[in-house]
Amino acid sequence: MTRVVAVANQKGGVAKTTTVHSLGVALAQSGRRVLLVDVDPQASLTWACGIDPDGLERSMHEVLLRRSKAADAIAATEVDGLSVLPSTIDLAGAEMHLLTKTGREYVLRKALERIVADYDVVLIDCPPSLGILTINGLTAAQEVLIPLQCEALGQRGVGQLMETIDDVRSYTNRDLEVRGVIATMFDGRTKLARQVVEEVRANHGLEVFDPPVPKSVKVAEAPGQGRSVLEHAPTSRGAVAYRELAQVIFAPTPKPSRKKKGRSAS
Ligand code: ADP
Ligand code: MG
């Protein structure tokens, strides 16, 4: 079954987009069919995939206004098996429009309904707010990943995000699961970074995935080239971390216990 995963944090610059893109490329490179969904009017994910939003006839804006089917707005990327439902700045206008509509929280979910089965994984890149676009992302998803920049103020917003997730569970998406936290731009040399990870575990009971994604110039350079760090610098520490995270978070099925005795399949 397809896994639909929203990547959310109302704070900007915590590596939501980088995480969606890098995990998506890692999964596509391991043979999965992946759709990246850009729900941010800033369209950073669209740019990072090498697509110029200004040249698009159809995008998330048209999809959310029901002027286009999602299938018709999807674009291929240079990575085999990786497609993107792109965004444009027009999406900021769609946000205003949505607010006046009945069923406004469900528009993305409905739009994706017909195409989700064409993919193994759908990753939704939410904007840096807890507004209606993020609510649409959380309502369309089965799981949430929370990227967290491990600095003093980084974890303050987690409580607020968890409240929003609880609201979404109460009103629009009862089964939404918080998969866990990805520590981003991690500087393991500082005590603070490790402290923040511990606090998030303790205060919110959230799993913090291993490994953290190290702060790395290679990761920062990649989007300017219209690529992810996995294509830009495949052996860099950032690329390695995202590849490992993709394996940890999207393991195909739980591995059977090794201790269990039984007939060998070979
Ligand atoms: P968000 O989507 O949460 O706003 P982005 O993914 O756009 O965040 O990341 C914000 C900035 O930080 C971007 O310029 C990105 O290239 C950079 N960045 C993300 N992850 C790393 C990292 N591990 N090391 C260095 N820079 C990073
Ligand atoms: Mg972003």
Side-chain angles (χ1 to χ4, degrees):
M1 218 185 85
T2 312
R3 280 177 68 179
V4 184
V5 180
V7 175
N9 185 330
Q10 72 276 23
K11 199 161 177 260
V14 298
K16 288 181 290 297
T17 299
T18 304
T19 297
V20 165
H21 194 199
S22 306
L23 290 179
V25 172
L27 291 166
Q29 287 180 342
S30 73
R32 248 71 72 89
R33 296 165 302 168
V34 181
L35 176 65
L36 306 182
V37 178
D38 194 349
V39 197
D40 187 349
Q42 287 176 40
S44 317
L45 177 63
T46 302
W47 279 111
C49 287
I51 295 169
D52 179 354
D54 295 336
L56 293 171
E57 244 172 68
R58 296 193 187 90
S59 67
M60 187 55 83
H61 172 71
E62 284 71 30
V63 171
L64 293 185
L65 295 189
R66 296 177 215 187
R67 290 177 192 160
S68 166
K69 288 185 193 155
D72 296 335
I74 289 172
T77 72
E78 280 179 15
V79 178
D80 259 357
L82 186 76
S83 303
V84 60
L85 178 41
S87 164
T88 60
I89 188 68
D90 298 341
L91 190 55
E95 187 167 13
M96 301 302 293
H97 179 85
L98 274 184
L99 285 172
T100 66
K101 293 284 175 183
T102 307
R104 57 189 170 244
E105 296 93 347
Y106 297 92
V107 181
L108 181 64
R109 187 187 186 111
K110 282 226 161 276
L112 295 180
E113 222 161 46
R114 289 201 178 165
I115 54 162
V116 157
D118 298 341
Y119 302 91
D120 299 308
V121 178
V122 176
L123 295 171
I124 304 172
D125 186 21
C126 295
S129 79
L130 294 173
I132 192 67
L133 292 172
T134 292
I135 303 289
N136 262 271
L138 294 173
T139 301
Q142 302 148 355
E143 306 168 36
V144 200
L145 288 171
I146 304 173
L148 189 73
Q149 193 180 354
C150 294
E151 54 181 31
L153 299 177
Q155 64 120 0
R156 276 220 200 138
V158 176
Q160 208 186 352
L161 176 59
M162 293 304 289
E163 269 176 35
T164 300
I165 290 169
D166 279 340
D167 286 346
V168 167
R169 282 199 192 111
S170 305
Y171 294 107
T172 63
N173 188 6
R174 201 177 51 189
D175 299 326
L176 182 66
E177 255 185 78
V178 181
R179 183 58 50 214
V181 170
I182 296 179
T184 59
M185 299 181 231
F186 191 78
D187 184 352
R189 291 167 306 182
T190 67
K191 204 169 150 198
L192 182 63
R194 278 171 282 142
Q195 227 169 5
V196 169
V197 167
E198 281 319 311
E199 273 173 31
V200 169
R201 275 203 185 104
N203 296 348
H204 301 286
L206 294 171
E207 176 174 1
V208 181
F209 293 109
D210 206 41
V213 180
K215 192 173 252 178
S216 138
V217 176
K218 296 289 179 206
V219 180
E221 284 169 354
Q225 319 267 327
R227 325 163 85 180
S228 74
V229 68
L230 283 93
E231 305 150 86
H232 174 62
T235 58
S236 64
R237 290 181 312 138
V240 171
Y242 272 118
R243 232 179 271 123
E244 283 181 33
L245 283 169
Q247 272 181 12
V248 171
I249 301 168
F250 295 91
T253 43
K255 288 187 190 120
S257 162
R258 279 192 211 136
K259 281 178 198 148
K260 205 174 150 190
K261 285 185 186 154
R263 273 165 289 167
S264 152
S266 57

